[in-house]
Amino acid sequence: MKIGVPKALLNFYYGPFWETFFEELGMEVVLSEDTNKEIIDAGVRESVPEICVPIKIFIGHVLNLLEKDVDYVFIPRMVSINEGEIFCPKFMGLPDMIRHGLEGLEDKVLTCHIKSESDDISDYSNYLSIGNTLGISKEKIKKAAKVAGEHWKKFRNYNKNGYTALESYNLVYGKGKLKGRNNRKKGIKIGLLGYVYNVYDSFVNMDILNKLKELNVEFITFDMIDEDELRNNIDDMDKVLFWTFSNKLLGAGYKFFRDMEVDGVIHITAFGCGPDSFLGKLLEIESDETQIPFMTLRIDEHTGENHLQTRIEAFVDMLKRKKLKAI
Amino acid sequence: MKISFPYMGTVVIYKKLLELLGHEVIVPPRPSQKTIDLGVKHSPEFACFPFKVIMGSYIEACEMGADTIVTSGGHGPCRAGFYGEIHKRVLKNLGYDTEVIIIDSFNRNRKKVMENIMKLKGNNSWLKLSKAVKFTYDMIQEIDKFDKKIREIKPYEVKPGSVDRAWEKIQKEFDNAYSKRELKKAVKRSNEIINSLEISRIDERDRIRIGIVGEIYVVMESSINMEIEKVLGELGCEVERGHYLSEWVDFNLVPSFLKKSHEEEIIKKGEKYIEIIIGGHAKQTVGGIVDFKDRGFDGIIHLMPFACLPELVTQSIIPKISKEHDIPILSLSIDEQTGKANNLTRIEAFIDLIRNKKLNKYSA
Ligand code: SF4
Ligand code: SF4
């Protein structure tokens, strides 16, 4: 049986888990192609106009998988991975939206509720409904979830050791090579904030990671930081946000600003993102207070025509000048 | 303490409760273009529209001397749950020394909720507090009954505008009631006001009934939804909303073993389309559509703030619900930039469509 897995949204975080899980169940895993113009165009065509770009892209990936004749498309319902917090409404309603909003998907959505107390989502009970749909025994589900969980932890360990999620993905599959010891360059360092699907989808963000490398800029993303540390940084707030990944970004942002370990912070956000409207405001306030420069890059569906790259160059130039002056 | 609150729907109610507790109440002006402009200017660009309107309204209240603002922390967890926190920071930035009291859901932070309730309770006895709450509760139930009644008869008024004026009068009646006896009298007077209206009845077949569903703020607050209920009334339609304050209270504040709320049933009806509560009122929206259809309504208008997270999920599913339940649905999003004229044209066209559909049905 062919299970399609969209390479979008949280696949940049949980992909190694989900792929391994289905492989362990003896399924053929079919991944959608890397985001490209056709995928975006198809997604835009089939979405309600006001919805955020990442969801449009996700829809494009689902359609891409349909073309590949998969039996099911895997669309988990992300509910909670931290007590008292939830996911952005669009994640929680994602299977509904795809099932009832797109033609030909009514019986093709393979879904399950994901609820967990931490980022580790390997508790097999999350996946029993998949077993029901596919006619697979509880034992098998249990075993597959366990193997997948271990695989995912390896991936996260690389990630938390300073590799990007993309590098970690390759490493955990035995591709790519380890970096030498990271000797702190004298250049500048940037805190790069954004959801995994904005930071790691190189097509939509105009390959910002490589751009930064070209410019000789070191960067750190939220996923490279330990979950507990992210949490510690927002512990003193009266009330945190409702959405876990937004809170992770906020924790990372507060750390960047307060530890003074970066020269500047870039927030990559997507057009139409609701949670980021508040997150951005909180970061702005923090930037004003700490005087660490902050820039928001907004990605939209008309990539290629925008000026992300020039804006990054200008920002980096400014940081470099600022640093020179300080010395 | 000079207390104010966010402006939404029949504000008489919040005012009453706070007054009964002996507070000096500042009722912010009904949101106007100026309110919106102020709010937009001082809100994050991509904040939701209700956030911006309320922001503007708070600033106006502060200008009028409010030193305290009470608000709810928002339930169906969405951005609204964080409104207060950002509003607070913006007000502080603008130099207003206003305390923002956010009453959160009890389950989230019991201690804090109690602390805040104590602030509002002040020196009143618990008995007085509970009496005040009970009184306002009864009052909301009554007012909402009239609110519904008004929208039912509006299309059939003989003298244009007479029903709207009656509604104004009724609200005043309630505004003047401070005791149980006076409340009873207000109800009686309001009934008289309604009965004295000249209404022309039409054939059952020609009735057009429209349900309004969507995000609570834009559905309830007429000043920012183009007074859609009035507009529809003038187009000859009876209207009922998916949100009434009384129902919100029943659902959110009254423990379910005391009273099974109507909203719970509605939510059930939406299960097929949206399985779990995803935040905001998306599930109520889909359930509401099915419920209105079950009750014989002819069409639905779905209102949402521009780019509203949960309602975009709803919007994506609407074509299918419309088809499966054979009910026309018009989805409109509202913000500071949406042209009113354009929306009004769409509403008119929509009603025409429904009227024709109905005509065809009966002539065929
Ligand atoms: S968090 Fe923002 S970008 Fe992500 S799905 Fe929600 S609205 Fe879209
Ligand atoms: S339901 Fe819509 S309007 Fe309300 S907080 Fe959420 S996004 Fe904003």
Side-chain angles (χ1 to χ4, degrees):
Chain A
M1 190 144 12
K2 283 191 192 170
I3 309 286
V5 177
K7 266 205 289 190
L9 291 182
L10 286 182
N11 202 57
F12 293 103
Y13 198 74
Y14 284 124
F17 180 93
W18 290 326
E19 285 165 37
T20 314
F21 175 73
F22 287 115
E23 277 159 12
E24 284 297 306
L25 291 179
M27 305 283 148
E28 183 185 338
V29 173
V30 179
L31 296 174
S32 53
E33 281 150 38
D34 286 338
T35 305
N36 54 43
K37 187 154 182 340
E38 289 73 49
I39 288 185
I40 295 191
D41 287 348
V44 169
R45 212 167 32 237
E46 293 297 325
S47 315
V48 288
E50 279 163 41
I51 213 156
C52 64
V53 180
I55 296 287
K56 289 183 177 163
I57 294 174
F58 182 83
I59 289 177
H61 280 266
V62 171
L63 296 170
N64 180 258
L65 286 168
L66 267 194
E67 284 171 16
K68 296 183 191 294
D69 263 340
V70 295
D71 296 289
Y72 286 104
V73 180
F74 176 59
I75 304 173
R77 188 188 299 280
M78 302 302 298
V79 183
S80 173
I81 55 168
N82 190 33
E83 210 198 318
E85 288 177 9
I86 46 167
F87 277 79
C88 164
K90 293 173 193 166
F91 280 100
M92 293 198 290
L94 196 57
D96 303 321
M97 213 156 78
I98 304 290
R99 193 160 29 202
H100 301 298
L102 293 179
E103 287 288 329
L105 272 143
E106 182 129 21
D107 309 314
K108 286 215 153 135
V109 173
L110 183 62
T111 187
C112 58
H113 289 216
I114 300 215
K115 282 189 200 147
S116 137
E117 257 134 53
S118 71
D119 287 48
D120 180 357
I121 53 165
S122 62
D123 184 342
Y124 74 94
S125 58
N126 281 320
Y127 305 97
L128 289 177
S129 65
I130 289 186
N132 288 340
T133 314
L134 300 179
I136 292 173
S137 73
K138 184 170 153 188
E139 289 315 306
K140 280 197 184 140
I141 295 281
K142 219 169 171 172
K143 198 169 145 264
K146 188 158 178 278
V147 177
E150 279 155 15
H151 190 72
W152 177 77
K153 269 179 217 147
K154 268 189 226 152
F155 157 80
R156 285 289 294 142
N157 278 338
Y158 283 121
N159 202 179
K160 283 190 265 188
N161 270 315
Y163 293 94
T164 66
L166 302 174
E167 289 163 348
S168 309
Y169 183 91
N170 285 334
L171 284 167
V172 81
Y173 279 100
K175 293 175 272 179
K177 50 180 186 297
L178 291 169
K179 295 187 270 200
R181 273 237 102 358
N182 215 351
N183 44 345
R184 178 88 163 82
K185 295 191 204 95
K186 279 193 221 75
I188 59 166
K189 185 171 177 181
I190 281 180
L192 188 59
L193 290 173
Y195 301 117
V196 284
Y197 40 90
N198 291 335
V199 170
Y200 292 123
D201 192 327
S202 57
F203 188 81
V204 276
N205 68 23
M206 304 295 291
D207 209 3
I208 180 169
L209 299 187
N210 279 323
K211 183 78 207 171
L212 289 175
K213 279 179 192 157
E214 263 171 40
L215 293 171
N216 238 328
V217 173
E218 223 188 315
F219 59 83
I220 170 166
T221 55
F222 86 89
D223 44 305
M224 296 177 183
I225 303 166
D226 192 71
E227 294 87 2
D228 293 336
E229 196 179 346
L230 292 176
R231 181 69 33 192
N232 290 340
N233 277 285
I234 53 171
D235 260 357
D236 60 337
M237 290 177 74
D238 265 356
K239 188 171 185 181
V240 295
L241 298 164
F242 282 122
W243 319 282
T244 297
F245 277 90
S246 310
N247 276 330
K248 284 178 187 290
L249 294 191
L250 189 59
Y254 278 177
K255 177 179 153 63
F256 295 155
F257 285 118
R258 292 174 185 170
D259 293 357
M260 308 293 256
E261 58 170 72
V262 297
D263 301 287
V265 176
I266 296 181
H267 179 206
I268 314 182
T269 178
F271 200 83
C273 176
D276 277 5
S277 63
F278 286 177
L279 177 71
K281 183 78 198 169
L282 294 171
L283 295 171
E284 233 174 68
I285 294 176
E286 210 55 30
S287 162
D288 285 347
E289 277 169 17
T290 57
Q291 296 292 312
I292 293 181
F294 174 64
M295 174 171 76
T296 304
L297 289 180
R298 188 160 282 112
I299 53 188
D300 62 23
E301 55 217 49
H302 316 288
T303 41
E305 298 152 35
N306 64 30
H307 308 292
L308 292 191
Q309 299 237 356
T310 11
R311 290 198 54 209
I312 295 169
E313 280 167 23
F315 187 69
V316 168
D317 271 351
M318 185 269 290
L319 294 181
K320 282 181 178 160
R321 278 199 309 273
K322 193 169 171 231
K323 192 151 198 167
L324 267 180
K325 257 198 220 144
I327 294 172
Chain B
M1 244 191 324
K2 292 188 181 175
I3 299 197
S4 191
F5 48 80
Y7 199 104
M8 177 170 94
T10 23
V11 288
V12 189
I13 310 269
Y14 325 108
K15 174 170 169 259
K16 185 96 342 173
L17 178 60
L18 294 167
E19 274 176 359
L20 286 171
L21 293 175
H23 299 297
E24 189 180 335
V25 181
I26 300 216
V27 181
R30 184 165 185 258
S32 62
Q33 191 56 45
K34 180 177 155 243
T35 320
I36 296 175
D37 292 345
L38 261 176
V40 168
K41 183 162 166 222
H42 297 291
S43 304
E45 186 183 353
F46 292 94
C48 12
F49 186 50
F51 177 94
K52 295 179 183 172
V53 181
I54 295 173
M55 184 79 253
S57 179
Y58 282 170
I59 296 176
E60 288 179 324
C62 290
E63 283 296 311
M64 290 166 70
D67 53 30
T68 309
I69 289 168
V70 221
T71 176
S72 101
H75 289 264
C78 191
R79 279 191 275 182
F82 209 70
Y83 276 10
E85 297 294 326
I86 305 268
H87 283 140
K88 212 172 14 187
R89 288 169 166 84
V90 175
L91 287 179
K92 193 178 138 211
N93 250 341
L94 289 175
Y96 292 109
D97 191 19
T98 315
E99 184 178 16
V100 183
I101 299 183
I102 305 165
I103 312 263
D104 258 309
S105 147
F106 216 56
N107 309 331
R108 227 182 131 86
N109 190 344
R110 225 164 256 265
K111 209 174 119 236
K112 187 95 197 194
V113 173
M114 279 318 289
E115 245 175 66
N116 285 332
I117 291 182
M118 291 309 279
K119 276 190 204 154
L120 293 179
K121 175 177 162 283
N123 295 325
N124 297 293
S125 68
W126 284 105
L127 184 69
K128 187 163 175 206
L129 175 72
S130 66
K131 270 196 174 155
V133 170
K134 174 77 172 72
F135 177 81
T136 359
Y137 178 79
D138 292 342
M139 186 151 139
I140 311 177
Q141 307 285 334
E142 295 297 343
I143 294 195
D144 279 352
K145 273 185 222 154
F146 287 106
D147 194 350
K148 284 188 187 167
K149 185 77 198 165
I150 285 287
R151 293 306 156 200
E152 215 179 287
I153 57 176
K154 165 79 186 167
Y156 316 121
E157 64 187 0
V158 174
K159 281 199 210 95
S162 56
V163 170
D164 304 309
R165 282 192 295 276
W167 178 225
E168 293 297 322
K169 274 197 230 155
I170 292 175
Q171 285 176 301
K172 279 226 182 69
E173 287 293 338
F174 281 97
D175 198 9
N176 290 328
Y178 285 90
S179 69
K180 252 173 144 172
R181 244 193 57 231
E182 287 169 351
L183 179 61
K184 260 207 188 122
K185 224 164 78 195
V187 172
K188 194 164 152 259
R189 286 244 184 87
S190 301
N191 274 319
E192 284 164 12
I193 294 176
I194 298 258
N195 291 335
S196 69
L197 284 167
E198 233 186 300
I199 300 297
S200 64
R201 272 289 158 201
I202 55 157
D203 202 50
E204 180 65 29
R205 295 191 342 192
D206 296 329
R207 283 173 80 191
I208 295 185
R209 291 192 293 162
I210 304 291
I212 300 184
V213 299
E215 189 276 334
I216 189 164
Y217 193 77
V218 291
V219 169
M220 298 249 298
E221 186 38 51
S222 62
S223 65
I224 57 160
N225 69 17
M226 315 160 279
E227 304 207 63
I228 191 161
E229 291 174 76
K230 196 167 148 199
V231 167
L232 287 169
E234 278 159 8
L235 289 171
C237 309
E238 294 175 37
V239 185
E240 191 177 317
R241 303 193 303 260
H243 297 288
Y244 288 89
L245 202 53
S246 52
E247 282 160 16
W248 188 90
V249 170
D250 277 348
F251 182 65
N252 289 293
L253 306 175
V254 180
S256 53
F257 62 87
L258 286 179
K259 186 166 180 190
K260 193 162 159 41
S261 70
H262 178 56
E263 202 155 329
E264 262 168 83
E265 285 165 44
I266 302 271
I267 287 185
K268 274 248 160 53
K269 292 193 177 183
E271 212 113 276
K272 178 182 167 202
Y273 296 105
I274 297 183
E275 253 182 72
I276 62 166
I277 303 246
I278 63 170
H281 291 88
K283 213 170 165 183
Q284 282 91 328
T285 301
V286 277
I289 295 174
V290 177
D291 183 61
F292 277 127
K293 171 68 189 185
D294 289 351
R295 286 163 48 207
F297 277 62
D298 303 291
I300 305 286
I301 294 187
H302 170 236
L303 293 183
M304 59 183 255
F306 186 83
C308 168
L309 305 167
E311 294 300 340
L312 275 171
V313 175
T314 320
Q315 202 189 45
S316 312
I317 302 175
I318 277 181
K320 178 144 170 202
I321 309 181
S322 170
K323 203 161 119 209
E324 288 191 354
H325 289 268
D326 185 29
I327 184 157
I329 307 176
L330 173 68
S331 181
L332 296 175
S333 66
I334 297 180
D335 74 357
E336 67 270 18
Q337 282 167 21
T338 39
K340 191 171 159 187
N342 181 34
N343 274 347
L344 290 179
T345 322
R346 290 182 62 198
I347 294 173
E348 276 170 36
F350 181 68
I351 301 302
D352 276 348
L353 177 137
I354 291 178
R355 192 165 276 130
N356 288 334
K357 194 176 159 194
K358 219 162 169 165
L359 270 178
N360 287 338
K361 192 167 132 205
Y362 284 110
S363 54

